[in-house]
Amino acid sequence: MIDDRVAQAPVQQSPLEYALELLHRAVALSCLIQGTAYWVRLMGFFEGAEWRFDLMSPHWQVAAAPLAVLFPFAAVGLWTLASWGPVIWFICALAEIIMYGLFPELYGTRSLLIALHGLIAVCYAVLRLAIHIRRRRSDVNRG
C-alpha cells in the first residue's frame, strides 16, 4: 500500500516553472484582449468601412476572422496551462507579425506589437530551455 503522506504530498514548483506559469497567464489575458478587439472590429462597433466585416477589404476579412477565433482559443489554452496554448498563440503572433511586418501597406504598421510578440517568444524559449536544463541536471545528479 502507498503511504497516505506520500500520496498527498504537494508537487513543488521551481521558480522557473512558476515564472513560466505567470508568463502563460499574462499572455492569456493579452490574447483575450486582442481577441475581443478583433471581434469588435468584425461586429461593427465603430463607424467606418474597416470596422464591420461586410464592409472590410478582403485582406482584413481574411486576417480578422481567424484571429478573432484563435486569440480567445489561445487564451483558454494558455490560462489552463495546456500544451497546445503556446502553439495557438504562436500561430496568432506569427500571423500578426506577417500582417504588420510584411504588409504594412495593407494593415498598417504596429512595430510595438511585433516587438512584444518577439519578446514574449524569447522569454518563453528561455524559460523552457532553463527548465529543461535544470531537469536534466537533476536527473544526472539522481542517476
Coordinates of all heavy atoms in Angstrom, one line a residue, residues 27-113:
V27 N 0.1 36.3 -20.9 CA -0.1 36.3 -22.3 C -1.6 35.9 -22.6 O -2.2 36.3 -23.5 CB 0.9 35.3 -23.0 CG1 0.5 35.1 -24.5 CG2 2.3 35.8 -22.9
A28 N -2.2 35.0 -21.7 CA -3.6 34.6 -21.9 C -4.5 35.9 -21.8 O -5.4 36.0 -22.6 CB -4.0 33.6 -20.8
L29 N -4.2 36.7 -20.8 CA -5.0 37.9 -20.7 C -4.9 38.8 -21.9 O -5.8 39.4 -22.4 CB -4.6 38.7 -19.4 CG -5.0 38.0 -18.1 CD1 -4.5 38.7 -16.9 CD2 -6.5 37.8 -18.0
S30 N -3.6 38.9 -22.4 CA -3.4 39.7 -23.6 C -4.1 39.1 -24.8 O -4.7 39.9 -25.6 CB -1.9 39.7 -23.9 OG -1.6 40.2 -25.1
C31 N -4.1 37.8 -24.9 CA -4.8 37.2 -26.0 C -6.4 37.4 -25.9 O -7.0 37.6 -27.0 CB -4.6 35.7 -26.0 SG -3.0 35.2 -26.6
L32 N -6.9 37.4 -24.7 CA -8.3 37.7 -24.5 C -8.6 39.1 -25.0 O -9.6 39.3 -25.7 CB -8.7 37.5 -23.1 CG -10.2 37.4 -22.8 CD1 -10.8 36.3 -23.6 CD2 -10.4 37.2 -21.3
I33 N -7.8 40.1 -24.7 CA -8.0 41.5 -25.1 C -7.9 41.6 -26.6 O -8.7 42.2 -27.2 CB -7.0 42.4 -24.3 CG1 -7.3 42.4 -22.9 CG2 -7.0 43.8 -25.0 CD1 -6.2 43.1 -22.0
Q34 N -6.8 41.0 -27.2 CA -6.7 41.0 -28.6 C -7.8 40.4 -29.3 O -8.3 40.9 -30.4 CB -5.3 40.4 -29.0 CG -4.2 41.3 -28.7 CD -2.9 40.6 -29.0 OE1 -2.4 39.7 -28.3 NE2 -2.3 41.0 -30.2
G35 N -8.3 39.2 -28.9 CA -9.4 38.5 -29.5 C -10.7 39.4 -29.4 O -11.4 39.5 -30.4
T36 N -10.9 40.1 -28.3 CA -12.0 40.9 -28.1 C -11.9 42.1 -29.1 O -12.9 42.5 -29.7 CB -12.1 41.5 -26.7 OG1 -12.3 40.4 -25.8 CG2 -13.3 42.4 -26.5
A37 N -10.7 42.6 -29.3 CA -10.5 43.7 -30.2 C -10.9 43.3 -31.7 O -11.5 44.1 -32.4 CB -9.1 44.3 -30.1
Y38 N -10.5 42.1 -32.0 CA -10.8 41.6 -33.4 C -12.3 41.4 -33.5 O -12.9 41.7 -34.5 CB -10.1 40.3 -33.7 CG -8.7 40.6 -34.2 CD1 -7.5 40.3 -33.4 CD2 -8.4 41.2 -35.5 CE1 -6.3 40.6 -33.9 CE2 -7.2 41.4 -35.9 CZ -6.1 41.1 -35.1 OH -4.8 41.4 -35.6
W39 N -13.0 40.9 -32.4 CA -14.4 40.8 -32.5 C -15.1 42.1 -32.6 O -16.1 42.3 -33.4 CB -15.0 40.0 -31.3 CG -14.9 38.5 -31.5 CD1 -14.0 37.7 -30.9 CD2 -15.6 37.7 -32.4 NE1 -14.1 36.4 -31.4 CE2 -15.2 36.4 -32.3 CE3 -16.7 38.0 -33.3 CZ2 -15.7 35.3 -33.0 CZ3 -17.2 36.9 -34.0 CH2 -16.7 35.6 -33.9
V40 N -14.6 43.1 -31.9 CA -15.2 44.5 -32.0 C -15.1 45.0 -33.4 O -16.0 45.5 -34.0 CB -14.5 45.4 -31.0 CG1 -14.8 46.9 -31.3 CG2 -14.9 45.1 -29.6
R41 N -13.9 44.7 -34.0 CA -13.7 45.1 -35.4 C -14.7 44.4 -36.4 O -15.2 45.0 -37.3 CB -12.2 44.8 -35.8 CG -11.9 45.1 -37.2 CD -10.5 45.1 -37.5 NE -10.2 46.3 -38.2 CZ -9.1 47.0 -38.1 NH1 -8.2 46.7 -37.3 NH2 -9.0 48.1 -38.8
L42 N -14.9 43.1 -36.1 CA -15.8 42.4 -37.0 C -17.3 42.7 -36.9 O -18.0 42.7 -37.9 CB -15.6 40.9 -36.8 CG -14.3 40.2 -37.1 CD1 -14.3 38.7 -36.7 CD2 -14.0 40.3 -38.6
M43 N -17.7 43.1 -35.7 CA -19.1 43.3 -35.4 C -19.5 44.7 -35.8 O -20.7 45.0 -35.8 CB -19.4 43.0 -34.0 CG -19.2 41.6 -33.6 SD -19.4 41.2 -31.9 CE -20.4 42.4 -31.2
G44 N -18.6 45.6 -36.1 CA -19.0 47.0 -36.5 C -19.4 47.9 -35.3 O -20.4 48.6 -35.4
F45 N -18.7 47.8 -34.3 CA -18.9 48.6 -33.1 C -18.7 50.1 -33.4 O -19.3 51.0 -32.9 CB -18.0 48.2 -32.0 CG -18.7 47.7 -30.8 CD1 -19.6 46.8 -30.8 CD2 -18.4 48.3 -29.5 CE1 -20.2 46.3 -29.7 CE2 -19.0 47.9 -28.4 CZ -19.9 46.9 -28.5
F46 N -17.8 50.4 -34.3 CA -17.4 51.8 -34.6 C -17.8 52.1 -36.1 O -17.9 51.2 -36.9 CB -15.9 52.0 -34.4 CG -15.5 51.8 -33.0 CD1 -14.8 50.7 -32.6 CD2 -15.8 52.7 -32.0 CE1 -14.4 50.4 -31.3 CE2 -15.4 52.5 -30.7 CZ -14.7 51.3 -30.4
E47 N -17.9 53.3 -36.4 CA -18.2 53.8 -37.8 C -16.9 53.5 -38.7 O -15.8 53.7 -38.2 CB -18.5 55.2 -37.8 CG -19.8 55.5 -37.1 CD -21.0 54.9 -37.8 OE1 -21.1 54.8 -39.0 OE2 -21.9 54.5 -37.0
G48 N -17.1 53.3 -39.9 CA -16.1 53.1 -40.9 C -16.1 51.8 -41.6 O -16.5 50.8 -41.0
A49 N -15.5 51.8 -42.8 CA -15.5 50.5 -43.6 C -14.7 49.4 -43.0 O -15.0 48.3 -43.1 CB -15.1 50.8 -45.0
E50 N -13.6 49.8 -42.3 CA -12.7 48.8 -41.7 C -13.2 48.2 -40.4 O -12.5 47.5 -39.7 CB -11.3 49.3 -41.6 CG -10.6 49.6 -43.0 CD -10.5 48.4 -43.9 OE1 -10.2 47.3 -43.4 OE2 -10.8 48.6 -45.1
W51 N -14.4 48.7 -39.9 CA -14.9 48.3 -38.6 C -16.2 47.5 -38.7 O -16.9 47.4 -37.8 CB -15.1 49.5 -37.7 CG -13.8 50.1 -37.3 CD1 -13.1 51.1 -37.9 CD2 -13.0 49.7 -36.2 NE1 -11.9 51.4 -37.2 CE2 -11.8 50.5 -36.2 CE3 -13.1 48.7 -35.3 CZ2 -10.8 50.3 -35.3 CZ3 -12.1 48.5 -34.3 CH2 -11.0 49.3 -34.3
R52 N -16.4 46.9 -39.9 CA -17.6 46.0 -40.0 C -17.2 45.0 -41.1 O -16.7 45.3 -42.1 CB -18.8 46.8 -40.4 CG -20.1 46.1 -40.1 CD -21.3 46.9 -40.2 NE -21.8 46.6 -41.6 CZ -22.7 47.4 -42.2 NH1 -23.2 48.4 -41.6 NH2 -23.1 47.1 -43.4
F53 N -17.4 43.7 -40.7 CA -17.0 42.6 -41.6 C -17.4 42.7 -43.0 O -16.6 42.6 -44.0 CB -17.4 41.3 -41.0 CG -16.8 40.1 -41.8 CD1 -15.5 39.7 -41.6 CD2 -17.6 39.4 -42.7 CE1 -15.0 38.7 -42.3 CE2 -17.1 38.4 -43.4 CZ -15.8 38.0 -43.2
D54 N -18.7 43.0 -43.2 CA -19.2 43.0 -44.6 C -18.7 44.2 -45.4 O -18.8 44.2 -46.7 CB -20.7 43.0 -44.7 CG -21.4 44.1 -43.9 OD1 -20.7 44.7 -43.0 OD2 -22.5 44.5 -44.2
L55 N -18.1 45.3 -44.7 CA -17.6 46.4 -45.4 C -16.1 46.4 -45.5 O -15.5 47.2 -46.2 CB -18.1 47.7 -44.7 CG -19.6 47.9 -44.7 CD1 -19.9 49.2 -43.9 CD2 -20.2 48.0 -46.0
M56 N -15.5 45.5 -44.8 CA -14.0 45.4 -44.8 C -13.4 45.0 -46.2 O -14.1 44.3 -46.9 CB -13.5 44.3 -43.8 CG -13.5 44.7 -42.4 SD -12.9 43.3 -41.5 CE -13.2 43.8 -39.9
S57 N -12.2 45.4 -46.4 CA -11.5 45.0 -47.5 C -11.2 43.5 -47.4 O -11.1 43.0 -46.2 CB -10.2 45.8 -47.7 OG -9.4 45.7 -46.5
P58 N -11.1 42.7 -48.5 CA -10.9 41.3 -48.4 C -9.7 40.9 -47.5 O -9.7 39.9 -46.8 CB -10.7 40.9 -49.8 CG -11.4 41.9 -50.6 CD -11.2 43.2 -49.9
H59 N -8.6 41.6 -47.6 CA -7.4 41.2 -46.8 C -7.7 41.3 -45.3 O -7.2 40.5 -44.6 CB -6.1 42.0 -47.3 CG -6.3 43.5 -47.1 ND1 -6.8 44.3 -48.0 CD2 -5.9 44.3 -46.0 CE1 -6.8 45.6 -47.6 NE2 -6.2 45.6 -46.4
W60 N -8.5 42.3 -44.9 CA -8.8 42.4 -43.5 C -9.8 41.3 -43.1 O -9.7 40.7 -42.0 CB -9.4 43.8 -43.1 CG -8.4 44.7 -42.6 CD1 -7.9 45.8 -43.2 CD2 -7.6 44.6 -41.4 NE1 -6.9 46.4 -42.4 CE2 -6.7 45.6 -41.3 CE3 -7.7 43.6 -40.3 CZ2 -5.9 45.8 -40.2 CZ3 -6.8 43.8 -39.2 CH2 -6.0 44.9 -39.2
Q61 N -10.7 40.9 -44.0 CA -11.6 39.8 -43.7 C -10.9 38.5 -43.5 O -11.2 37.8 -42.6 CB -12.6 39.7 -44.8 CG -13.7 40.8 -44.9 CD -14.6 40.6 -46.1 OE1 -14.3 39.9 -47.1 NE2 -15.7 41.2 -46.1
V62 N -9.9 38.3 -44.3 CA -9.1 37.1 -44.3 C -8.3 37.0 -43.0 O -8.1 36.0 -42.4 CB -8.2 36.9 -45.5 CG1 -7.1 35.8 -45.3 CG2 -9.0 36.7 -46.7
A63 N -7.8 38.2 -42.5 CA -7.0 38.2 -41.3 C -7.8 38.3 -40.0 O -7.5 37.6 -39.0 CB -6.0 39.4 -41.4
A64 N -8.8 39.1 -40.0 CA -9.5 39.4 -38.7 C -10.4 38.2 -38.3 O -10.5 37.9 -37.1 CB -10.4 40.7 -38.9
A65 N -11.0 37.5 -39.2 CA -11.9 36.5 -38.8 C -11.2 35.3 -38.1 O -11.6 34.9 -37.0 CB -12.7 36.0 -40.0
P66 N -10.1 34.8 -38.6 CA -9.5 33.7 -37.9 C -8.8 34.2 -36.6 O -8.9 33.4 -35.6 CB -8.4 33.2 -38.9 CG -8.7 33.8 -40.2 CD -9.6 34.9 -40.0
L67 N -8.3 35.4 -36.6 CA -7.6 35.9 -35.3 C -8.7 36.1 -34.3 O -8.4 35.9 -33.1 CB -6.8 37.1 -35.6 CG -5.5 36.8 -36.4 CD1 -4.8 38.1 -36.8 CD2 -4.6 35.9 -35.7
A68 N -9.9 36.5 -34.6 CA -11.0 36.7 -33.7 C -11.3 35.4 -33.0 O -11.7 35.4 -31.8 CB -12.2 37.3 -34.3
V69 N -11.2 34.3 -33.7 CA -11.4 33.0 -33.1 C -10.2 32.4 -32.4 O -10.3 31.9 -31.2 CB -11.9 32.0 -34.2 CG1 -12.1 30.6 -33.6 CG2 -13.2 32.5 -34.8
L70 N -9.0 32.5 -33.0 CA -7.8 31.9 -32.4 C -7.3 32.6 -31.2 O -6.8 31.9 -30.3 CB -6.7 31.9 -33.5 CG -7.0 30.9 -34.6 CD1 -5.9 31.0 -35.7 CD2 -7.0 29.5 -34.1
F71 N -7.4 33.9 -31.1 CA -6.8 34.6 -29.9 C -7.6 34.1 -28.6 O -6.9 33.8 -27.6 CB -6.9 36.1 -30.0 CG -5.6 36.7 -30.6 CD1 -5.5 37.4 -31.7 CD2 -4.4 36.5 -29.9 CE1 -4.3 37.9 -32.2 CE2 -3.2 37.0 -30.3 CZ -3.2 37.7 -31.5
P72 N -8.9 34.1 -28.6 CA -9.6 33.6 -27.3 C -9.3 32.1 -27.1 O -9.1 31.7 -25.9 CB -11.1 33.8 -27.6 CG -11.1 34.9 -28.6 CD -9.9 34.7 -29.5
F73 N -9.2 31.4 -28.2 CA -8.8 29.9 -28.0 C -7.4 29.8 -27.4 O -7.2 29.0 -26.5 CB -8.9 29.3 -29.4 CG -8.8 27.8 -29.4 CD1 -9.7 27.0 -28.7 CD2 -7.8 27.2 -30.1 CE1 -9.6 25.6 -28.7 CE2 -7.6 25.8 -30.2 CZ -8.6 25.0 -29.5
A74 N -6.5 30.6 -27.9 CA -5.1 30.6 -27.3 C -5.2 31.0 -25.8 O -4.5 30.5 -25.0 CB -4.2 31.6 -28.1
A75 N -6.0 32.0 -25.5 CA -6.2 32.5 -24.1 C -6.6 31.3 -23.2 O -6.0 31.2 -22.1 CB -7.2 33.6 -24.0
V76 N -7.5 30.5 -23.6 CA -8.0 29.4 -22.8 C -6.9 28.4 -22.6 O -6.6 27.9 -21.5 CB -9.2 28.7 -23.4 CG1 -9.6 27.4 -22.7 CG2 -10.4 29.7 -23.4
G77 N -6.2 28.1 -23.7 CA -5.1 27.1 -23.6 C -4.0 27.6 -22.7 O -3.4 26.8 -22.0
L78 N -3.6 28.9 -22.8 CA -2.5 29.4 -22.0 C -3.0 29.5 -20.5 O -2.2 29.2 -19.6 CB -2.1 30.8 -22.5 CG -1.4 30.8 -23.8 CD1 -1.3 32.2 -24.4 CD2 0.1 30.3 -23.6
W79 N -4.2 29.9 -20.3 CA -4.6 30.1 -18.9 C -4.7 28.7 -18.2 O -4.4 28.6 -17.0 CB -6.0 30.8 -18.9 CG -6.4 31.1 -17.5 CD1 -7.1 30.4 -16.6 CD2 -6.0 32.3 -16.8 NE1 -7.2 31.0 -15.4 CE2 -6.5 32.2 -15.5 CE3 -5.2 33.4 -17.1 CZ2 -6.3 33.2 -14.5 CZ3 -5.0 34.4 -16.2 CH2 -5.6 34.3 -14.9
T80 N -5.1 27.7 -18.9 CA -5.2 26.4 -18.3 C -3.9 25.6 -18.3 O -3.9 24.5 -17.9 CB -6.3 25.5 -19.0 OG1 -6.0 25.4 -20.4 CG2 -7.7 26.2 -18.9
L81 N -2.9 26.3 -18.9 CA -1.5 25.7 -19.0 C -1.5 24.4 -19.9 O -0.7 23.5 -19.7 CB -0.9 25.4 -17.6 CG -0.9 26.6 -16.6 CD1 -0.4 26.1 -15.3 CD2 -0.1 27.7 -17.2
A82 N -2.4 24.4 -20.8 CA -2.5 23.3 -21.8 C -1.3 23.4 -22.7 O -0.8 24.4 -23.1 CB -3.8 23.3 -22.6
S83 N -0.8 22.2 -23.2 CA 0.4 22.2 -24.0 C 0.1 22.9 -25.4 O 1.1 23.4 -26.0 CB 0.9 20.8 -24.2 OG -0.1 20.0 -24.8
W84 N -1.1 22.9 -25.8 CA -1.4 23.5 -27.1 C -1.6 25.0 -27.1 O -1.6 25.7 -28.1 CB -2.7 22.8 -27.7 CG -3.8 22.7 -26.8 CD1 -4.1 21.7 -26.0 CD2 -4.8 23.7 -26.5 NE1 -5.3 22.0 -25.3 CE2 -5.7 23.2 -25.6 CE3 -5.0 25.0 -27.0 CZ2 -6.8 23.9 -25.1 CZ3 -6.1 25.7 -26.5 CH2 -7.0 25.2 -25.6
G85 N -1.7 25.6 -25.9 CA -1.9 27.0 -25.7 C -0.8 27.9 -26.4 O -1.1 28.8 -27.2
P86 N 0.5 27.6 -26.0 CA 1.5 28.4 -26.7 C 1.6 28.2 -28.2 O 2.0 29.1 -28.9 CB 2.8 27.8 -26.0 CG 2.4 27.3 -24.7 CD 1.0 26.7 -25.0
V87 N 1.2 27.0 -28.7 CA 1.2 26.7 -30.1 C 0.2 27.6 -30.8 O 0.5 28.3 -31.8 CB 0.9 25.2 -30.4 CG1 0.8 25.0 -31.9 CG2 1.9 24.3 -29.8
I88 N -1.0 27.7 -30.3 CA -2.0 28.6 -30.9 C -1.6 30.0 -30.8 O -1.8 30.8 -31.7 CB -3.4 28.4 -30.2 CG1 -3.8 26.9 -30.3 CG2 -4.5 29.3 -30.8 CD1 -4.0 26.4 -31.7
W89 N -1.0 30.4 -29.6 CA -0.5 31.8 -29.5 C 0.5 32.1 -30.6 O 0.5 33.2 -31.2 CB 0.1 32.1 -28.1 CG 0.8 33.4 -28.1 CD1 0.2 34.6 -28.0 CD2 2.1 33.7 -28.4 NE1 1.1 35.6 -28.1 CE2 2.3 35.1 -28.4 CE3 3.2 32.8 -28.6 CZ2 3.6 35.6 -28.5 CZ3 4.5 33.4 -28.8 CH2 4.6 34.8 -28.8
F90 N 1.4 31.2 -30.8 CA 2.5 31.3 -31.8 C 1.9 31.5 -33.2 O 2.4 32.4 -33.9 CB 3.4 30.1 -31.8 CG 4.6 30.3 -32.7 CD1 5.6 31.1 -32.5 CD2 4.5 29.6 -33.9 CE1 6.7 31.2 -33.4 CE2 5.6 29.7 -34.9 CZ 6.7 30.5 -34.6
I91 N 0.9 30.8 -33.5 CA 0.2 31.0 -34.8 C -0.4 32.4 -34.9 O -0.2 33.0 -35.9 CB -0.9 29.9 -35.0 CG1 -0.2 28.5 -35.1 CG2 -1.8 30.2 -36.2 CD1 -1.2 27.3 -35.1
C92 N -1.0 32.8 -33.9 CA -1.6 34.2 -33.9 C -0.5 35.3 -34.0 O -0.6 36.2 -34.8 CB -2.4 34.4 -32.6 SG -3.9 33.4 -32.4
A93 N 0.6 35.1 -33.2 CA 1.7 36.1 -33.2 C 2.3 36.1 -34.6 O 2.6 37.2 -35.1 CB 2.7 35.7 -32.1
L94 N 2.6 34.9 -35.1 CA 3.2 34.8 -36.5 C 2.3 35.5 -37.5 O 2.8 36.2 -38.4 CB 3.4 33.4 -36.9 CG 4.2 33.2 -38.1 CD1 5.6 33.8 -38.1 CD2 4.3 31.7 -38.4
A95 N 1.0 35.3 -37.4 CA 0.0 36.0 -38.4 C 0.1 37.5 -38.2 O 0.2 38.2 -39.3 CB -1.4 35.5 -38.1
E96 N 0.2 38.0 -37.0 CA 0.3 39.4 -36.9 C 1.6 40.0 -37.3 O 1.7 41.1 -37.8 CB -0.1 39.8 -35.4 CG -1.5 39.8 -35.1 CD -1.9 40.4 -33.8 OE1 -1.1 40.4 -32.8 OE2 -3.0 40.9 -33.7
I97 N 2.7 39.2 -37.0 CA 4.0 39.7 -37.5 C 4.0 39.7 -39.0 O 4.6 40.7 -39.6 CB 5.1 38.7 -36.9 CG1 5.2 38.9 -35.4 CG2 6.4 38.9 -37.7 CD1 6.1 37.9 -34.7
I98 N 3.4 38.8 -39.7 CA 3.4 38.8 -41.1 C 2.5 40.0 -41.6 O 2.9 40.7 -42.5 CB 2.9 37.4 -41.7 CG1 3.9 36.4 -41.4 CG2 2.5 37.5 -43.1 CD1 3.4 34.9 -41.7
M99 N 1.3 40.1 -41.0 CA 0.4 41.2 -41.4 C 1.1 42.6 -41.3 O 1.2 43.3 -42.2 CB -0.8 41.2 -40.4 CG -1.8 40.2 -40.7 SD -3.0 40.0 -39.3 CE -3.7 41.7 -39.2
Y100 N 1.6 42.9 -40.1 CA 2.1 44.2 -39.8 C 3.6 44.4 -40.2 O 4.0 45.5 -40.4 CB 1.9 44.6 -38.3 CG 0.5 44.6 -37.9 CD1 0.0 43.7 -36.9 CD2 -0.4 45.4 -38.5 CE1 -1.3 43.7 -36.5 CE2 -1.8 45.4 -38.1 CZ -2.2 44.6 -37.1 OH -3.5 44.6 -36.7
G101 N 4.3 43.3 -40.3 CA 5.7 43.4 -40.7 C 6.0 43.3 -42.2 O 6.8 44.1 -42.7
L102 N 5.3 42.4 -42.8 CA 5.5 42.2 -44.2 C 4.5 43.0 -45.2 O 4.8 43.2 -46.3 CB 5.4 40.7 -44.6 CG 6.5 39.8 -43.9 CD1 6.3 38.4 -44.3 CD2 7.9 40.3 -44.2
F103 N 3.3 43.3 -44.6 CA 2.3 44.0 -45.4 C 1.8 45.3 -44.8 O 0.6 45.5 -44.6 CB 1.2 43.1 -45.7 CG 1.6 41.8 -46.4 CD1 1.6 40.6 -45.8 CD2 1.9 41.8 -47.8 CE1 2.0 39.4 -46.4 CE2 2.2 40.7 -48.5 CZ 2.3 39.5 -47.8
P104 N 2.7 46.2 -44.4 CA 2.3 47.4 -43.7 C 1.4 48.3 -44.6 O 0.6 49.1 -44.1 CB 3.6 48.1 -43.4 CG 4.6 47.6 -44.3 CD 4.2 46.2 -44.6
E105 N 1.5 48.2 -46.0 CA 0.7 49.0 -46.9 C -0.7 48.5 -46.8 O -1.6 49.3 -47.1 CB 1.3 48.9 -48.3 CG 1.2 47.5 -49.0 CD 2.3 46.6 -48.6 OE1 3.2 47.0 -47.8 OE2 2.3 45.4 -49.0
L106 N -1.0 47.3 -46.4 CA -2.4 46.8 -46.3 C -2.9 46.9 -44.8 O -4.1 47.2 -44.7 CB -2.4 45.3 -46.7 CG -2.1 45.0 -48.1 CD1 -2.1 43.4 -48.3 CD2 -3.1 45.6 -49.1
Y107 N -2.1 46.6 -43.8 CA -2.6 46.5 -42.5 C -2.1 47.6 -41.6 O -2.5 47.8 -40.4 CB -2.2 45.2 -41.8 CG -2.7 44.0 -42.6 CD1 -2.0 43.3 -43.5 CD2 -4.0 43.6 -42.4 CE1 -2.5 42.2 -44.1 CE2 -4.6 42.5 -43.0 CZ -3.8 41.8 -43.9 OH -4.3 40.7 -44.6
G108 N -1.2 48.4 -42.0 CA -0.6 49.5 -41.2 C 0.6 49.0 -40.5 O 1.0 47.8 -40.6
T109 N 1.3 49.8 -39.7 CA 2.5 49.5 -39.0 C 2.2 49.4 -37.5 O 1.6 50.3 -37.0 CB 3.6 50.5 -39.3 OG1 3.8 50.6 -40.7 CG2 4.9 50.2 -38.6
R110 N 2.6 48.3 -36.9 CA 2.5 48.2 -35.5 C 3.8 47.6 -34.9 O 3.8 46.4 -34.5 CB 1.3 47.3 -35.1 CG 0.0 48.0 -35.6 CD -1.3 47.4 -35.1 NE -1.4 47.4 -33.7 CZ -2.3 46.7 -33.0 NH1 -3.2 45.9 -33.6 NH2 -2.3 46.8 -31.7
S111 N 4.8 48.4 -35.0 CA 6.1 47.9 -34.6 C 6.2 47.5 -33.1 O 6.9 46.5 -32.8 CB 7.1 49.1 -34.8 OG 7.1 49.5 -36.1
L112 N 5.5 48.1 -32.2 CA 5.5 47.8 -30.8 C 4.9 46.4 -30.7 O 5.4 45.6 -29.9 CB 4.7 48.8 -30.0 CG 4.7 48.5 -28.5 CD1 6.1 48.4 -27.9 CD2 3.8 49.5 -27.8
L113 N 3.8 46.1 -31.4 CA 3.2 44.8 -31.3 C 4.1 43.7 -31.8 O 4.2 42.6 -31.1 CB 1.9 44.7 -32.1 CG 1.1 43.4 -32.0 CD1 0.6 43.2 -30.6 CD2 0.0 43.5 -33.0

